[in-house]
Each structure stands twice: as C-alpha cells, then as structure tokens.
Amino acid sequence: MVARTPLLRAVLIDDPDYPAFVRVIWNAHVTELSDLAEPERARLMLAVHAVETALREVIKPDKINLASLGNQVPHLHWHVIARFAGDAHFPQPIWAARQREPDADRLAMCRQKLPALRARIIELLSAD
Amino acid sequence: MVARTPLLRAVLIDDPDYPAFVRVIWNAHVTELSDLAEPERARLMLAVHAVETALREVIKPDKINLASLGNQVPHLHWHVIARFAGDAHFPQPIWAARQREPDADRLAMCRQKLPALRARIIELLSAD
C-alpha cells in the first residue's frame, strides 16, 4: 500500500519485471469509469495523474503506460506503469509476449527509488 | 474517421477481431497524458468518456477496456475497446496471446451497429 484517500488507494505492484508499477483502485465497487459521475471521474483521473507525475519525476522512465481493463477483476482500477526501452516487453504492452530478460541493474536502480516514489505519491495525492 | 473536434479526433479501428474499437487521438503532438495541462487533460478524458458511453449504449459489451500506451507511436492517444466474454482474447488484454476464434455472429452484429455508434459518438463529442 502506498497511499489511501477517502475515495481511492494506490498500491505498489510487486512485479519482478516492473518494480515501478502502481495500481490506483477506486474504493467503492463500480465496474467501468463511466459508472462514476463527473466529479468522481475527475478525482480518479487526478489521482492517476499524480501517480504518473511521481513515476516520471522519480523513476524517469522512457514511457508511461496507463490502462483500465478489469476483465478478470471487474472492479474499477488503473494500471500506471513505468516502461523502459530495454524492459521485458518493450515496445509491446506488458501483457504481450515477453521480448527479453530485462537489465538487472536498471531493475535494482528502480527498486532503490521506491521509497522516494512512495513519498512523492503520498505528497501529490494529499495535495489533490 | 468518426469525429473531429478542434483538439482531438476519434477514429474507428479496422480490427477484424474488435470491430467496436475506437482510438481517441490528441491533435497536438505530446507524448504523455501529464504533458497536458489540467484543462486539456479534462477535455481529453471527457472525450474518452463520451466514446466509452457511446460504446456501452450502442454495442452493450461485457466490459470496456481503456489504455494509453504509445510505446510504438509516442503520440498521445487512447484505445477504447468493447470487450465480450467470448472474444478473441477475453479475459486477457487484446495484446496477450489469442484465446479462441471469436463468434462470427457477434462480430457481424457489432459491425451492423457501427453507423449508430458513429452517430452517437459524434453527438456526444459535440455536446462536450
């Protein structure tokens, strides 16, 4: 768990290929983004933006990937993923066939930055 | 092309497995959602919401999938995809390994509804 607000929570995903992978989960049970009214949609997207901003500032990835799928767990959530040109699936989405073994040094570097990432997400989410 | 506003355009993707698949493309060249200032981010997400709403109303899918990846084409765009429990990849993302041959009758039914989908997207986008 990285941060919690009254409406949502941000969770760091423990993915061996993607250490800088955050899930933003809406607390109330809804399935689709369009199940939320406009003020709540805006709150959720501000939180996704805060997580994206923290990832870019702290991790400095080559690309951010955003996705709200929910086919397996039909509870509204967003994947916010820091991607690097040499990661396990680049330039494919992380759900596609694995392309290569990712660079161990870069993974270790990302893991070292997780406390700073966590602190920055908490800071930005509490400013929303 | 489905619809165009001064800031963005919605394009129907000609995917044999996913006839009800719309891409929302921001006209100005930026790479990440967080490259936009808040009013523009809100405009873009309202358009994604309009497309999602039109897909749900007209196509009545089992799930909507949203994604902004841009690893291959680093120009800000959103995939808005109508998913069905028996489609080619369900419950996996459409970028994962194919699970099955999708039902031809359902694909034909979706294709028949594309003119209505297009009309509803134009209507909702012009109301934004």
Side-chain angles (χ1 to χ4, degrees):
Chain A
M1 177 71 64
V2 174
R4 180 183 279 279
T5 77
L7 293 175
L8 55 88
R9 57 200 190 274
V11 178
L12 193 62
I13 302 306
D14 186 18
D15 185 308
D17 283 339
Y18 297 98
F21 180 168
V22 179
R23 200 166 286 150
V24 179
I25 305 166
W26 191 252
N27 287 338
H29 180 63
V30 296
T31 303
E32 305 285 6
L33 185 59
S34 53
D35 290 337
L36 299 182
E38 165 55 21
E40 287 74 32
R41 286 204 313 275
R43 296 303 299 169
L44 176 53
M45 294 315 299
L46 276 174
V48 170
H49 174 70
V51 170
E52 173 175 321
T53 300
L55 281 169
R56 292 183 74 183
E57 286 179 9
V58 177
I59 305 291
K60 303 189 194 314
D62 294 323
K63 190 71 193 71
I64 293 288
N65 284 183
L66 303 175
S68 181
L69 308 174
N71 306 324
Q72 310 208 37
V73 181
H75 180 110
L76 183 59
H77 63 272
W78 280 92
H79 305 283
V80 189
I81 314 161
R83 301 294 310 272
F84 287 91
D87 72 27
H89 300 80
F90 204 88
Q92 300 300 320
I94 69 163
W95 305 281
R98 212 161 189 271
Q99 305 289 308
R100 68 187 69 79
E101 201 58 39
D103 183 69
D105 289 345
R106 210 208 40 255
L107 291 176
M109 175 278 283
C110 284
R111 284 194 196 99
Q112 281 182 345
K113 292 179 176 172
L114 292 182
L117 175 67
R118 189 183 305 254
R120 188 65 177 132
I121 290 173
I122 290 170
E123 186 176 25
L124 288 173
L125 277 182
S126 59
D128 266 356
Chain B
M1 176 72 62
V2 174
R4 181 183 277 280
T5 78
L7 294 174
L8 56 88
R9 57 199 190 273
V11 178
L12 192 62
I13 301 307
D14 187 18
D15 185 308
D17 283 340
Y18 297 98
F21 180 168
V22 178
R23 199 165 287 150
V24 179
I25 306 166
W26 190 253
N27 287 339
H29 180 63
V30 297
T31 303
E32 304 286 6
L33 185 59
S34 53
D35 290 337
L36 298 182
E38 165 54 19
E40 287 73 33
R41 287 204 311 277
R43 296 303 300 169
L44 176 54
M45 294 316 298
L46 276 174
V48 170
H49 174 70
V51 170
E52 173 175 321
T53 300
L55 281 169
R56 292 182 74 183
E57 286 180 8
V58 177
I59 305 291
K60 303 189 194 316
D62 294 324
K63 190 72 193 70
I64 293 288
N65 283 182
L66 302 175
S68 181
L69 308 173
N71 305 325
Q72 310 208 36
V73 180
H75 180 110
L76 183 59
H77 62 273
W78 280 91
H79 306 282
V80 189
I81 313 161
R83 301 295 310 274
F84 287 90
D87 72 26
H89 301 79
F90 205 88
Q92 300 300 320
I94 69 164
W95 305 280
R98 212 161 189 271
Q99 305 290 307
R100 69 186 68 80
E101 201 59 38
D103 183 68
D105 289 345
R106 211 209 39 256
L107 291 176
M109 176 277 284
C110 285
R111 285 193 196 99
Q112 280 181 346
K113 291 178 177 173
L114 292 182
L117 175 67
R118 189 183 304 254
R120 187 67 176 131
I121 290 173
I122 290 170
E123 185 176 26
L124 288 172
L125 278 182
S126 60
D128 266 358

